[in-house]
Amino acid sequence: MELLQHENRLIQLRAKLNERGIKLWEVPYLTPERQSHEAEVLKLAGQLGPELGISTELCLEGLTALQRNALEKLQAKDEFQKTGIATVRIRAPTQTGSNREFDLKVKITEQGSHLCELIGHRLSLDARKIKLVCSGKIISALHPLQEQKVTNGSTVMALVLAHSEEEAKRECSTYDRVHKIRTDAEMLINENDSSNFLSLEDQSGNAIYLPKDEKKSLLMALTLYEKGKAAMKTGNFEEALLLLLEADHDFRSCNSQLLDVVDNYALLNLDIVWCYLCLKNLNQLPDAEQRLKVCELKFQQSYGKNMQRVTAIRGEQSNEKILLVRLHLLKAVLFYHQNKRDDARTMFRVVETELLKLRIDDDCLSRLMECGYSMKESRIALRACSNDVEASIEFIHNRRQTRETNEKRSVRERKLYKVIDHDATAGERIKLELVDQLMEMGYPEELAGLALKKSANDINGALNELETNGAALQKELLRTVSVDRELRQQLETLGFDGEIAKLALKLTANDYDRATNYLLANVQNGRYSEELLRAIAEWNRTKAACKPAAAADTPSSSADGRPSTSKGTAKSSTPEEDDGAQREEKKRKKEMLDILFKSFSQDIRTTDENSHLDLQLDEEGKLLEQYKKLLGMDTDQ
């Protein structure tokens, strides 16, 4: 609070000096020897103090600090023009809420790594463990500072911790953790849907399909963002800010219009500015202002102006209003530090009103939790329903039902796409409603989906395809369906031949009941029906057509039945051995990825898709009271 009060005095004094055109670095406030004229500065403090409600002593302290700062800037500017050596202000936020600040001199033609070395030497830290941020961007160690818009007078944030033995260990781990998080995320994402972690859904559980490259960038951005939010939750704002800025870089690689209608990027910018505030890094104001503008614009695109779109869909039961509280609070803080005091007062009053509306009744919360609902969903429901317990219960059940329905739909959709080999990122999504209509007419789901794929969701065209080209559709299923090994084993235990069981599962898209009925109808006393024999012949032709051209060079059988090659001493692996080796490799890779995934996602799973709607608002309330006191708003009422 003392730091904010000191900055408050400087803001007011700076504004008053600018208003009157007073330059503390010129006569009469400076002697010919370029020293401070203490008598004149004291006289000025006596004039300005009463006008601003500041004691003469504190006013003199503030004027002296402003004069010293102005002279240092002039000297640095002159040195930069003559020698090219820039003076850069370094701010190193700490978990204790204080900041280590100092100036460093560096040539802007040097790489970012050189500045890290200078800072590391000054702070007695390993330079490799320091990350620098300037104007909302992480400074690359491999590029010149001038290419990264670092110049004379720039303020650079050095993300390190307070210098104690325990914190120094944590300090060194921050860089390593962020680097490892990105490396692990890249490995998982490059495996492309190797686990449920790597699927995209909206907040209601609906699947989202994007072009492959864009999906990769968006997955990386969302993954790093989730890890950043997990770090924020534990109060590790240094690591959080690094991860959020990394996520920002990946979000900017996404060209899809999807970012214009979803709120993830808006929330990311909001969280970055919140980290600036928590790290007491108010020198990033230009970047903070731009990010809040982006956030406000994205909220309008996602939710509509004044939440109109959300209200139209959900009525007044909209938890998204809680996001506006933090946005308005940060805007108010920004106005304050820009000395736009009237705007700040107005916005702080808006925040105060919003906080009152979102306050949760403790008795209502207890009643809901006694009914078995979690604290998180209870808070979200009570805020949405203005502390009406009965309405909150209905709200919770509706949300659960909607989520469950959409998740089932997404699982079904992905399964169908896999069966019929449909790439939704390159083509049109198949409408499940039309699939259901065809299934009501007696067609299997996979054939209905395949027909709709070929007819581009034209149900009449799909019907025509099913009636006139059913054999070709069945043939395509033989190519696309991957047989479930467990189901095949179950059919084998019933006495069916393994290859015939595999064929039945392909034809029925791994539907065990349908596959069993198919086999019972077409296998009698070990004899196969004409239909099954035709299917076997078609499958053999399909397998032959899928063999690689290189098969011509594979070993052929000699007269004695043994494999032969052009060189009699060479050994040849059988297809069964190749399949076994591939299965072992896939198993080993899957085990490795599962271990990596569990390690990687353990702290993400402490949050869910609604975590951004469950802000407790305690910190917001404290900040509101702090700034109200600084602005004298308590005395205004």
Side-chain angles (χ1 to χ4, degrees):
M1 188 66 183
E2 184 178 339
L3 179 63
L4 283 174
Q5 289 173 337
H6 174 69
E7 187 164 349
N8 180 38
R9 291 192 292 271
L10 294 182
I11 289 171
Q12 293 182 79
L13 284 169
R14 192 180 291 113
K16 186 63 71 174
L17 293 172
N18 290 335
E19 179 186 317
R20 297 191 179 181
I22 297 174
K23 299 178 180 179
L24 294 175
W25 59 92
E26 294 181 353
V27 176
Y29 308 104
L30 213 61
T31 66
E33 292 79 24
R34 305 292 291 172
Q35 299 295 319
S36 175
H37 198 306
E38 295 180 1
E40 289 293 333
V41 176
L42 179 60
K43 180 180 176 182
L44 181 61
Q47 295 172 355
L48 298 181
E51 294 181 27
L52 298 172
I54 303 173
S55 69
T56 301
E57 182 181 356
L58 290 176
C59 189
L60 177 61
E61 179 187 311
L63 288 172
T64 302
L66 289 173
Q67 185 183 55
R68 182 172 58 252
N69 186 48
L71 291 173
E72 287 174 355
K73 282 185 175 181
L74 285 172
Q75 184 178 354
K77 182 180 178 181
D78 184 58
E79 183 180 11
F80 180 65
Q81 290 174 342
K82 291 179 179 179
T83 65
I85 297 176
T87 301
V88 179
R89 172 65 97 182
I90 307 299
R91 290 171 61 92
T94 69
Q95 287 286 349
T96 61
S98 60
N99 280 284
R100 288 170 285 182
E101 293 191 30
F102 51 89
D103 289 336
L104 281 180
K105 296 186 182 297
V106 63
K107 284 195 173 184
I108 59 174
T109 53
E110 296 280 3
Q111 292 184 332
S113 57
H114 181 65
L115 182 56
C116 281
E117 289 171 4
L118 293 176
I119 295 172
H121 180 73
R122 178 68 177 263
L123 299 175
S124 300
L125 293 171
D126 185 346
R128 295 171 299 174
K129 310 302 181 183
I130 297 173
K131 277 281 190 176
L132 306 180
V133 177
C134 182
S135 300
K137 300 286 193 306
I138 297 176
I139 296 177
S140 169
L142 303 177
H143 294 90
L145 295 171
Q146 60 185 359
E147 290 183 8
Q148 305 181 70
K149 299 182 179 179
V150 179
T151 187
N152 183 63
S154 293
T155 298
V156 175
M157 178 165 52
L159 289 177
V160 291
L161 305 179
H163 195 59
S164 67
E165 184 175 353
E166 289 184 5
E167 290 175 330
K169 292 179 183 177
R170 183 176 165 197
E171 193 170 279
C172 290
S173 69
T174 300
Y175 175 88
D176 294 330
R177 272 181 52 77
V178 173
H179 180 72
K180 186 176 186 304
I181 285 169
R182 185 171 191 97
T183 303
D184 290 351
E186 286 175 348
M187 182 179 294
L188 284 168
I189 289 169
N190 285 335
E191 288 303 315
N192 197 17
D193 293 333
S194 57
S195 71
N196 291 331
F197 175 66
L198 300 178
S199 59
L200 288 171
E201 295 179 349
D202 64 17
Q203 290 178 353
S204 299
N206 297 305
I208 295 173
Y209 297 94
L210 293 172
K212 186 175 180 180
D213 290 342
E214 192 167 350
K215 178 185 178 183
K216 184 176 177 181
S217 293
L218 188 56
L219 277 170
M220 178 62 77
L222 293 173
T223 301
L224 294 173
Y225 184 24
E226 287 300 316
K227 296 291 281 189
K229 287 195 291 186
M232 286 177 69
K233 193 170 183 180
T234 62
N236 189 355
F237 292 105
E238 293 89 351
E239 181 173 305
L241 182 58
L242 285 178
L243 288 165
L244 297 181
L245 290 174
E246 291 274 1
D248 179 62
H249 173 75
D250 287 290
F251 265 121
R252 291 170 186 262
S253 301
C254 298
N255 297 318
S256 176
Q257 294 179 348
L258 176 70
L259 293 184
D260 291 334
V261 293
V262 298
D263 57 9
N264 299 84
Y265 191 53
L267 295 171
L268 173 70
N269 281 281
L270 194 65
D271 286 338
I272 287 174
V273 180
W274 185 256
C275 283
Y276 286 158
L277 184 61
C278 292
L279 291 169
K280 305 294 187 292
N281 193 49
L282 300 173
N283 286 61
Q284 295 289 341
L285 281 177
D287 184 57
E289 183 177 19
Q290 181 60 33
R291 289 189 182 278
L292 290 181
K293 286 180 180 178
V294 169
C295 178
E296 196 162 23
L297 176 62
K298 296 294 181 185
F299 276 166
Q300 288 182 10
Q301 290 172 340
S302 298
Y303 305 143
K305 195 171 184 180
N306 299 321
M307 311 298 284
Q308 291 170 349
R309 185 175 300 151
V310 174
T311 303
I313 296 172
R314 305 184 189 174
E316 289 300 320
Q317 296 179 329
S318 167
N319 269 288
E320 280 73 11
K321 291 177 182 177
I322 198 171
L323 301 174
L324 296 182
V325 175
R326 182 167 282 188
L327 172 63
H328 293 156
L329 177 64
L330 289 171
K331 283 182 68 175
V333 171
L334 190 68
F335 285 144
Y336 169 83
H337 289 283
Q338 292 173 333
N339 202 40
K340 298 177 181 177
R341 296 188 169 240
D342 290 339
D343 291 335
R345 288 189 180 93
T346 299
M347 193 57 69
F348 278 125
R349 291 191 184 100
V350 169
V351 172
E352 192 168 28
T353 302
E354 290 172 337
L355 283 174
L356 286 172
K357 289 182 179 179
L358 293 169
R359 182 171 293 168
I360 294 174
D361 185 279
D362 290 337
D363 291 336
C364 295
L365 181 61
S366 298
R367 287 173 60 188
L368 275 182
M369 293 183 67
E370 287 170 1
C371 294
Y373 302 112
S374 70
M375 179 177 287
K376 179 175 290 185
E377 63 183 349
S378 297
R379 280 200 299 251
I380 289 175
L382 288 170
R383 281 191 176 126
C385 302
S386 303
N387 289 309
D388 185 323
V389 175
E390 292 183 3
S392 297
I393 292 174
E394 183 179 358
F395 177 88
I396 291 171
H397 282 283
N398 288 340
R399 283 176 68 93
R400 286 181 176 181
Q401 187 174 14
T402 299
R403 179 77 193 177
E404 184 180 356
T405 300
N406 289 334
E407 284 179 346
K408 287 181 179 178
R409 178 187 176 90
S410 292
V411 170
R412 179 189 173 194
E413 193 174 32
R414 289 195 182 95
K415 183 179 178 182
L416 177 61
Y417 287 3
K418 184 177 180 180
V419 166
I420 65 175
D421 193 25
H422 179 59
D423 184 2
T425 65
E428 187 177 2
R429 293 177 70 165
I430 295 170
K431 295 180 180 178
L432 294 184
E433 297 81 6
L434 299 180
V435 174
D436 290 336
Q437 289 183 37
L438 291 173
M439 289 177 68
E440 289 173 3
M441 299 178 193
Y443 295 105
E445 182 180 45
E446 64 277 3
L447 286 179
L450 198 54
L452 286 167
K453 172 185 175 181
K454 292 184 174 297
S455 64
N457 281 318
D458 181 348
I459 193 167
N460 292 322
L463 276 169
N464 183 62
E465 189 78 23
L466 288 163
E467 292 172 1
T468 63
N469 206 21
L473 294 178
Q474 287 281 9
K475 179 181 177 181
E476 190 160 344
L477 281 180
L478 290 175
R479 179 182 61 82
T480 60
V481 174
S482 298
V483 172
D484 185 293
R485 189 179 303 171
E486 291 183 6
L487 295 180
R488 177 182 175 180
Q489 290 173 351
Q490 290 179 36
L491 289 175
E492 288 177 359
T493 59
L494 296 178
F496 295 110
D497 177 76
E499 288 300 300
I500 300 302
K502 185 176 180 180
L503 173 61
L505 288 168
K506 273 184 168 287
L507 291 172
T508 58
N510 288 312
D511 187 319
Y512 179 77
D513 291 335
R514 284 170 52 206
T516 304
N517 291 334
Y518 177 84
L519 290 171
L520 289 173
N522 290 281
V523 180
Q524 298 291 336
N525 298 321
R527 300 184 63 181
Y528 300 159
S529 69
E530 289 294 325
E531 180 183 346
L532 180 55
L533 288 171
R534 286 195 301 271
I536 293 172
E538 186 59 50
W539 187 27
N540 288 333
R541 284 193 293 271
T542 301
K543 288 193 291 184
C546 291
K547 283 184 179 179
D553 299 326
T554 59
S556 59
S557 295
S558 62
D560 62 0
R562 292 175 299 176
S564 64
T565 65
S566 56
K567 293 185 179 179
T569 58
K571 292 185 178 180
S572 172
S573 61
T574 66
E576 290 78 10
E577 290 173 340
D578 288 340
D579 288 345
Q582 289 176 2
R583 283 197 298 270
E584 284 300 315
E585 176 62 19
K586 287 177 70 175
K587 181 180 178 182
R588 184 196 65 77
K589 198 170 189 180
K590 184 179 183 302
E591 289 175 352
M592 180 192 71
L593 288 169
D594 286 345
I595 293 171
L596 175 60
F597 172 65
K598 288 175 183 176
S599 170
F600 183 80
S601 62
Q602 59 186 353
D603 53 354
I604 288 182
R605 292 190 182 278
T606 61
T607 67
D608 61 31
E609 69 278 1
N610 293 318
S611 59
H612 63 289
L613 302 178
D614 186 39
L615 301 176
Q616 295 189 29
L617 300 178
D618 294 339
E619 289 300 317
E620 285 80 355
K622 291 177 183 177
L623 283 168
L624 174 65
E625 293 305 315
Q626 277 186 0
Y627 281 93
K628 279 176 64 180
K629 288 179 181 178
L630 291 170
L631 289 168
M633 291 176 66
D634 292 333
T635 58
D636 293 345
Q637 299 174 351

